Amino acid sequence: MKSNLLSNIYNPADLRLLTEAQLSKVAQELRDFIIDVVSVKEGHLGSSLGVIELTIALHYVFNTPDDLLVWDVGHQAYGHKILTERREVFHTNRQLEGISGFPKRSESIYDTFGVGHSSTSISAALGMAIASKLKGDFNKQHIAVIGDASIASGMAFEGLNHAGVTDANLLVILNDNAIGIDPSVGALKKYLTAVKNGKNPKQNNIIKSLNFDYSGPIDGHDLPALIKELNRLKKIKGPKFLHIVTTKGKGLQQAEENQVKYHAPGKFDASTGEVYAKSEENLPPKYQDVFGLTILDLAKKNEKIIGITPAMPSGSSLKFMMDEIPERAFDVGIAEQHAVTLAAGMVTQGMTVYCNIYSTFLQRAYDQVIHDVALQNLPVIFCLDRAGLVGEDGATHHGLFDIAYLRAIPNLIIYAPLNEIDLQNILYTAQLGLNHPIAIRYPRGRGVIPNWEVENFGHYKKIEIGTANCLKEGTKTAVLSTGTIGNNVIEAINESHNSETIAHYDFPSIKPLDINTLTTILSSFERIITVEDGTINGGFGSAILEFAASHNFKNTIEVLGIPDTFIEHGTVNQLQQLCKIDVKSLINLFSNDTK
């Protein structure tokens, strides 16, 4: 690393010792450092490259960590982390026992608020500003940095609406690059585009109407201009709003030209920017693609099918349908609550709606699932991508709670397919007509059947919901699994020396449970083991325990899953090992058959 200035910057106090003229060199070195590390270690690239100048200017002008800086989502905070005492450990980013990919309060005093989901920064920073005022500190600065995709979310508007009637010392910086993970959508994006193009009258300013001191738009890559404007705003009391225009991926040509791909590109050549090609030959498909290609196929045959995603067309693979049938596939922006109730409204008019939301993000729309969907028994089809352990994104993104938080809701079916074929068949079954809403949960990553399209595509089978499947008979121990974690069970049983003693039952239907099969199992086996990739508390195993207790069964029931703690970041396999639901741990457990 040919770094002169950056290598001597341990924290922002060191940065402030430099002259303003030296900061452009720091920016180049910081960009190079991020590109060098992320090209090898992987991570979120484009977002951080786009805010290099802003990051430097913020820490140069404001007295962090005494002044409080909140990054929305946190994809863009790599430069912040490197300048705040974590340069030497940045190579551990997103790795097991390394630093988090997102700002995290327990990691650094410079990380003022834990983030990972969008649109929280304005509310958090406003809370800090009000608290500072109540404590008599009128000089502390409070800054929220939020992107144009995140500011379109309802929660961001709630924060702006409240801030505008306070005299809180709050600065909201809009990092406007016209893209989140996918390109931003909606009327607000069109408004911001008009502002940037000088086509919006000054008196027609949304932010000014909310009582903010608005300035901008200014070039977010012009360090002198940023520093000058931040110094000016620092002296102004009350709510302030700075609109800056940036380019996501700035400084790496490929990342600028292909911003979706380079949001998190995987490993790439640091000098050329070329992403290393991965052979996908003979690999099983990604579950998201099974969903995306299947719903497109179904939608071509059923004109009532509609797809909805909150800002994740690429991640969910709804983009296949958006490209071919755009009038029936909707990206509503980062607005999970709206997505759920929009789906409910469409269903009241006889449409068949697949609402695809990552498991961790459906948490943001819990009331809508209960009040707007389940209470009215509207058969919305929720497709919960990224259910279970997701890997390097860590605690903010694991989809571990959906079984527990959905199982409590009346009228709601919960289904977890074992593999790609099962996923296709439940997607097909759901559009034939259900009497209740359904949540279909499936994981991030690849399945287990390389030739899935040849085997099943277009040849769907109707599933009888509420039915379990005996995958293998046994004599002593019954293993009950739900969802794709059952493939770990299959492999572990095959490799166990006492496999003949172990029976395996797949319970794709978590609610309703197959009571008849469950009764037979509890009557036939003394030792029962349940396996799931969700939280143990309130999950699938809890449902089995509840049934056994209420029907006075006395079996020994061991519940495997995610313990009552937040799981950090690492590879999925590493995290499964921590939770003892990986193949090796299951082999050891099955071998310990004491009955």
Side-chain angles (χ1 to χ4, degrees):
M1 177 65 59
K2 297 176 182 178
S3 175
N4 298 318
L5 295 177
L6 186 61
S7 61
N8 292 314
I9 298 171
Y10 178 67
N11 59 34
D14 297 327
L15 179 70
R16 294 176 204 126
L17 296 175
L18 301 177
T19 66
E20 193 174 318
Q22 291 176 294
L23 297 183
S24 61
K25 188 171 190 301
V26 175
Q28 185 59 54
E29 292 178 9
L30 188 53
R31 262 197 184 88
D32 291 343
F33 186 89
I34 290 173
I35 290 170
D36 284 345
V37 174
V38 176
S39 68
V40 176
K41 299 293 186 177
E42 304 189 13
H44 295 105
L45 180 69
S47 304
S48 289
L49 294 183
V51 294
I52 293 294
E53 287 82 9
L54 176 63
T55 304
I56 292 169
L58 285 169
H59 284 296
Y60 192 72
V61 171
F62 294 101
N63 187 32
T64 54
D66 292 336
D67 289 334
L68 302 175
L69 174 60
V70 182
W71 297 93
D72 207 274
V73 184
H75 285 150
Q76 76 281 56
Y78 287 5
H80 160 81
K81 291 202 169 203
I82 292 162
L83 293 176
T84 55
E85 304 178 352
R86 286 164 283 183
R87 174 171 45 82
E88 293 179 355
V89 294
F90 183 67
H91 65 281
T92 69
N93 183 45
R94 292 162 49 90
Q95 297 178 29
L96 187 67
E97 298 181 351
I99 64 172
S100 171
F102 302 95
K104 183 178 177 183
R105 279 172 55 83
S106 61
E107 186 178 292
S108 171
I109 58 173
Y110 293 91
D111 293 357
T112 61
F113 200 74
V115 293
H117 291 187
S118 87
S119 314
T120 61
S121 60
I122 298 174
S123 297
L126 177 60
M128 295 170 185
I130 293 173
S132 293
K133 185 186 174 190
L134 291 171
K135 293 192 294 185
D137 188 342
F138 301 103
N139 295 315
K140 188 184 289 285
Q141 304 284 334
H142 313 84
I143 308 105
V145 181
I146 187 167
D148 56 285
S150 295
I151 205 168
S153 174
M155 186 175 176
F157 274 108
E158 293 168 22
L160 289 170
N161 185 53
H162 181 196
V165 293
T166 72
D167 58 358
N169 194 16
L170 172 70
L171 170 59
V172 175
I173 299 177
L174 174 61
N175 174 40
D176 184 359
N177 59 18
I179 189 167
I181 294 176
D182 286 279
S184 302
V185 297
L188 186 61
K189 178 198 176 176
K190 291 186 176 181
Y191 165 80
L192 294 172
T193 300
V195 171
K196 286 185 285 188
N197 293 337
K199 296 178 181 178
N200 191 69
K202 293 288 185 183
Q203 65 271 22
N204 184 26
N205 188 294
I206 292 173
I207 307 303
K208 281 186 177 178
S209 299
L210 293 171
N211 299 326
F212 277 76
D213 183 309
Y214 172 92
S215 60
I218 67 171
D219 182 354
H221 302 299
D222 186 337
L223 257 170
L226 279 173
I227 290 170
K228 181 180 178 181
E229 185 60 16
L230 291 175
N231 274 315
R232 186 186 74 83
L233 291 168
K234 190 163 67 167
K235 301 182 183 76
I236 298 173
K237 299 300 182 185
K240 305 168 288 284
F241 191 101
L242 174 60
H243 182 176
I244 71 168
V245 180
T246 62
T247 300
K248 187 171 182 177
K250 179 72 172 178
L252 185 65
Q253 184 179 348
Q254 288 88 339
E256 293 183 32
E257 293 173 351
N258 194 335
Q259 296 175 333
V260 173
K261 181 177 181 178
Y262 282 82
H263 173 75
K267 294 180 180 178
F268 62 95
D269 186 309
S271 58
T272 67
E274 290 299 317
V275 175
Y276 294 127
K278 293 180 181 177
S279 173
E280 297 193 0
E281 190 176 350
N282 297 322
L283 285 178
K286 294 178 181 178
Y287 280 101
Q288 67 186 60
D289 289 343
V290 175
F291 162 80
L293 293 169
T294 301
I295 189 179
L296 173 59
D297 184 57
L298 294 170
K300 288 177 178 177
K301 302 167 185 174
N302 181 348
E303 63 184 16
K304 291 186 176 181
I305 287 178
I306 290 173
I308 295 175
T309 178
M312 292 294 171
S314 296
S316 69
S317 291
L318 187 65
K319 196 171 188 310
F320 295 133
M321 184 177 174
M322 291 175 70
D323 288 344
E324 288 205 36
I325 318 176
E327 68 276 11
R328 287 195 276 137
F330 299 90
D331 175 4
V332 300
I334 303 176
E336 292 85 2
Q337 294 173 303
H338 168 60
V340 171
T341 305
L342 178 71
M346 290 177 170
V347 168
T348 68
Q349 301 307 300
M351 307 309 284
T352 300
V353 185
Y354 292 81
C355 186
N356 188 304
I357 303 180
Y358 291 8
S359 170
T360 185
F361 297 146
L362 189 67
Q363 295 162 189
R364 296 159 64 94
Y366 191 50
D367 182 61
Q368 285 69 27
V369 174
I370 295 173
H371 183 273
D372 299 341
V373 175
L375 182 61
Q376 303 182 85
N377 202 24
L378 296 172
V380 175
I381 304 162
F382 293 108
C383 298
L384 306 192
D385 198 333
R386 272 61 166 181
L389 294 161
V390 299
E392 290 84 354
D393 276 343
T396 59
H397 280 60
H398 295 314
L400 304 178
F401 306 106
D402 55 82
I403 296 175
Y405 72 67
L406 294 176
R407 204 166 64 83
I409 303 175
N411 289 338
L412 185 65
I413 299 166
I414 308 173
Y415 193 96
L418 176 67
N419 55 36
E420 301 92 306
I421 305 302
D422 197 13
L423 174 56
Q424 283 197 301
N425 287 337
I426 191 62
L427 291 170
Y428 166 75
T429 301
Q431 55 90 48
L432 294 176
L434 296 175
N435 295 321
H436 303 284
I438 184 171
I440 303 167
R441 70 186 306 267
Y442 52 91
R444 176 176 183 261
R446 295 189 180 275
V448 292
I449 305 172
N451 57 341
W452 68 288
E453 291 184 269
V454 175
E455 286 198 13
N456 200 60
F457 212 87
H459 304 286
Y460 310 117
K461 295 178 182 176
K462 183 179 179 181
I463 285 173
E464 186 177 344
I465 293 171
T467 300
N469 309 299
C470 180
L471 301 182
K472 182 187 173 299
E473 295 183 346
T475 56
K476 293 185 177 181
T477 299
V479 181
L480 284 54
S481 66
T482 184
T484 59
I485 197 69
N487 294 293
N488 280 15
V489 176
I490 292 170
E491 187 176 341
I493 292 175
N494 288 339
E495 294 184 23
S496 296
H497 65 83
N498 56 334
S499 60
E500 72 283 351
T501 69
I502 304 168
H504 182 198
Y505 293 85
D506 169 39
F507 276 77
S509 184
I510 299 167
K511 185 178 182 180
L513 283 169
D514 184 342
I515 300 305
N516 292 332
T517 298
L518 186 54
T519 300
T520 299
I521 293 168
L522 290 166
S523 301
S524 306
F525 297 89
E526 284 189 44
R527 187 189 188 201
I528 312 290
I529 300 171
T530 70
V531 186
E532 61 196 293
D533 60 352
T535 180
I536 287 173
N537 288 359
F540 167 67
S542 288
I544 304 301
L545 287 169
E546 290 161 15
F547 179 84
S550 64
H551 291 79
N552 208 31
F553 284 102
K554 306 294 186 184
N555 310 65
T556 298
I557 301 177
E558 302 165 55
V559 178
L560 301 184
I562 312 304
D564 187 23
T565 186
F566 286 107
I567 305 298
E568 298 301 333
H569 44 277
T571 67
V572 170
N573 185 254
Q574 287 171 331
L575 301 181
Q576 286 183 352
Q577 290 175 35
L578 288 177
C579 299
K580 299 188 178 358
I581 54 175
D582 63 300
V583 172
K584 187 175 180 181
S585 296
L586 292 173
I587 292 171
N588 292 337
L589 179 67
F590 299 160
S591 299
N592 185 27
D593 195 336
T594 57
K595 301 297 178 187

